Amino acid sequence: MAGSIADGLPGVRIRAALVLALAAWAVPLQAQPEGFNYDESAVPAYELPEILRTADGSAVDEPAEWRARREEILGLFEREVYGAAPPAPPEVRFEILDEDAGALGGLARRKQVRITFGASEQAPGMDLLLYTPAGAQGQVPTFLGLNFRGNHTVHEDPSILLADSVTEDGVRPGSEEDRGRSASRWPIERALERGYAVATVYSGHVDPDFDDGFRNGVHALRPPRSENDWGTIAGWAWGLSRALDYLQGDPHVDGTRVAVLGHSRLGKTALWAGAVDERFAIVISNNSGCGGAALSRRRFGETVERINTRFPHWFADRFNAYNGREDDLPVDQHMLLALMAPRPLYVASAEEDLWADPRGEYLSARHASAVYELLGRQGLGDAPRPPLNRPVLRDIGYHIREGKHDVTAYDWERYMDFADLHWRGDGR
Ligand code: GTR
């Protein structure tokens, strides 16, 4: 599959040049790290590994053949990119720290649950914050995602426990000043109004986001034993699965309808969680970029070398072998997206987020569509790349919205439209 025909449009080079000229005129150029490529015409020619051909060269053309090919691809990502995580520990404890059936002025039932990975007092753990709609009859579908700075940052609710964070300089106690600081990324009342529950966990509780040689966080349970063992993204994804273990037993949550979502590094994490754990019923990537939805071989914006250098703890050590050698990767990120099939998958980009390569995110979803189609589902097919703010909602959903690298109310509304479509049969 050659890169120059990758979006399947005739005359793509000429068209790309035109689009670029227009884009340069229309988009106020954001400050993006210097020294990287943001020029579509400088994207090198590349060949993507074929999703529907096994390692021994046979074509995968029957739905029944997909399972074995899926295992092969999952194994490659595990060994070469994210690293393999251990299974759930034999004893995971769930302790309800707080429950209030009249939270948020009566709109929600709030629960805070401590999840501890083992029997001992020293075992690592994390706190899950869950809001379900107060008046809901029965169990409700739920959006689950990690947050960047502590559960207390997602809403001003004064009852959310302050989360301490572990940094390179030591423990930083959670502070009142940060309460609600990331609330624009978590429109909880709106989700409740639309009949959804929202659950979140602080990523730093699962694994602090710095390179400590994989000793703290969940890596304490099993420090990597080889270059193919889990990095931080795999650790975070593992934490999402443990959150799902809890949610599947909560009486107010429909554990068969949990969507996992994440932004940026946590979007990469949502994708890996959805790949490893097929209990996640919908998978949503918000601006996940390099190591997430974007095709690595395009080398547009962030590159493999840069991500491994700047964040040496995110991936398995083995991934360093591909620094500056993207073409040697046995996978590319369209194959990660394909691992979600046939479950609904949503990929979202932002116009000004060139570092994350919006076009590479779209192309990746488009290439993954081949697997959806093999399985009788609707991928992005041959629809042209949609214009700004014009979502495509099929079994793969995609939008590019105006604006920057962020999760906005607009993004959430589309994710809820997508969940309505798949879970409530709202054709639109
Ligand atoms: C950037 C990183 C991206 C993205 C982002 C984020 O510095 O280069 O890959 O993950 O951080 O998570 O906000």
Side-chain angles (χ1 to χ4, degrees):
M1 230 176 273
S4 56
I5 54 159
D7 60 4
L9 301 172
V12 67
R13 289 220 180 272
I14 299 161
R15 201 173 288 208
L18 258 174
V19 167
L20 265 173
L22 284 172
W25 164 77
V27 182
L29 268 186
Q30 276 286 118
Q32 311 277 353
E34 279 177 28
F36 296 88
N37 180 40
Y38 304 105
D39 175 357
E40 191 60 36
S41 68
V43 169
Y46 58 89
E47 290 277 326
L48 291 178
E50 282 190 57
I51 311 183
L52 292 176
R53 188 168 297 280
T54 61
D56 68 10
S58 16
V60 175
D61 40 25
E62 293 297 328
E65 293 166 348
W66 170 242
R67 265 336 277 181
R69 176 61 177 146
R70 185 183 191 281
E71 286 306 303
E72 207 171 58
I73 295 173
L74 185 66
L76 287 170
F77 275 107
E78 223 163 41
R79 281 194 301 281
E80 309 293 322
V81 182
Y82 302 100
E91 188 174 340
V92 177
R93 286 182 286 140
F94 303 129
E95 184 192 344
I96 309 286
L97 303 177
D98 156 65
E99 180 162 8
D100 179 356
L104 306 185
L107 274 181
R109 174 185 293 274
R110 183 192 60 244
K111 277 189 206 173
Q112 297 183 78
V113 184
R114 178 146 304 159
I115 303 178
T116 310
F117 311 126
S120 85
E121 281 306 305
Q122 292 75 44
M126 61 189 195
D127 290 348
L128 175 117
L129 170 67
L130 169 67
Y131 290 102
T132 50
Q137 301 292 312
Q139 299 179 315
V140 297
T142 302
F143 287 90
L144 166 67
L146 297 174
N147 64 71
F148 280 78
R149 297 176 180 197
N151 292 350
H152 61 290
T153 65
V154 309
H155 197 283
E156 297 213 333
D157 181 348
S159 299
I160 303 176
L161 300 166
L162 293 176
D164 291 350
S165 46
V166 177
T167 70
E168 273 154 302
D169 309 320
V171 177
R172 196 170 61 86
S175 98
E176 283 298 337
E177 271 173 36
D178 289 336
R179 198 176 282 290
R181 203 166 151 172
S182 306
S184 68
R185 291 182 169 185
W186 296 91
I188 292 170
E189 278 90 348
R190 177 66 179 145
L192 294 166
E193 193 183 3
R194 291 190 63 165
Y196 291 101
V198 176
T200 186
V201 170
Y202 170 40
S203 55
H205 269 174
V206 184
D207 196 27
D209 193 3
F210 64 94
D211 182 17
D212 79 325
F214 299 125
R215 286 187 305 274
N216 63 18
V218 291
H219 290 109
L221 295 169
R222 196 194 75 186
R225 295 178 294 210
S226 76
E227 63 169 6
N228 313 104
D229 255 6
W230 57 344
T232 290
I233 290 176
W236 287 334
W238 186 94
L240 284 166
S241 287
R242 303 294 72 80
L244 182 58
D245 294 343
Y246 168 76
L247 292 172
Q248 291 202 320
D250 186 284
H252 304 286
V253 168
D254 178 349
T256 67
R257 292 189 294 170
V258 175
V260 63
L261 87 170
H263 169 60
S264 203
R265 68 198 68 185
L266 301 179
K268 311 179 205 302
T269 303
L271 289 171
W272 184 236
V276 172
D277 190 338
E278 293 180 87
R279 295 175 301 164
F280 288 113
I282 291 183
V283 181
I284 301 165
S285 152
N286 191 91
N287 305 179
S288 62
C290 180
L295 292 174
S296 302
R297 279 168 173 75
R298 279 171 49 80
R299 286 152 271 201
F300 187 105
E302 190 168 26
T303 61
V304 169
E305 179 165 16
R306 160 70 188 225
I307 206 167
N308 278 328
T309 312
R310 174 79 183 75
F311 305 102
H313 56 297
W314 281 1
F315 299 89
D317 283 344
R318 169 72 190 160
F319 195 40
N320 285 300
Y322 302 102
N323 291 349
R325 298 180 46 191
E326 285 84 352
D327 292 315
D328 292 346
L329 271 164
V331 289
D332 210 318
Q333 299 305 110
H334 62 310
M335 295 159 87
L336 176 69
L337 298 186
L339 295 177
M340 312 310 154
R343 294 164 295 159
L345 160 72
Y346 202 114
V347 174
S349 305
E351 183 189 22
E352 294 174 39
D353 186 18
L354 299 182
W355 185 235
D357 186 13
R359 188 183 183 89
E361 294 179 321
Y362 166 77
L363 290 174
S364 187
R366 179 141 175 185
H367 287 298
S369 298
V371 176
Y372 279 78
E373 278 141 27
L374 175 74
L375 300 179
R377 299 296 204 279
Q378 254 202 322
L380 296 180
D382 47 14
R385 188 178 176 209
L388 287 182
N389 306 333
R390 294 274 298 279
V392 178
L393 304 186
R394 299 178 174 179
D395 291 300
I396 298 182
Y398 178 81
H399 72 245
I400 176 163
R401 62 155 169 77
E402 60 195 25
K404 300 190 193 29
H405 185 70
D406 198 1
V407 197
T408 66
Y410 176 90
D411 297 316
W412 271 89
E413 291 295 337
R414 302 297 75 78
Y415 304 150
M416 291 189 275
D417 291 346
F418 191 62
D420 285 354
L421 173 71
H422 290 287
W423 287 340
R424 299 185 167 137
D426 281 17
R428 59 183 78 216

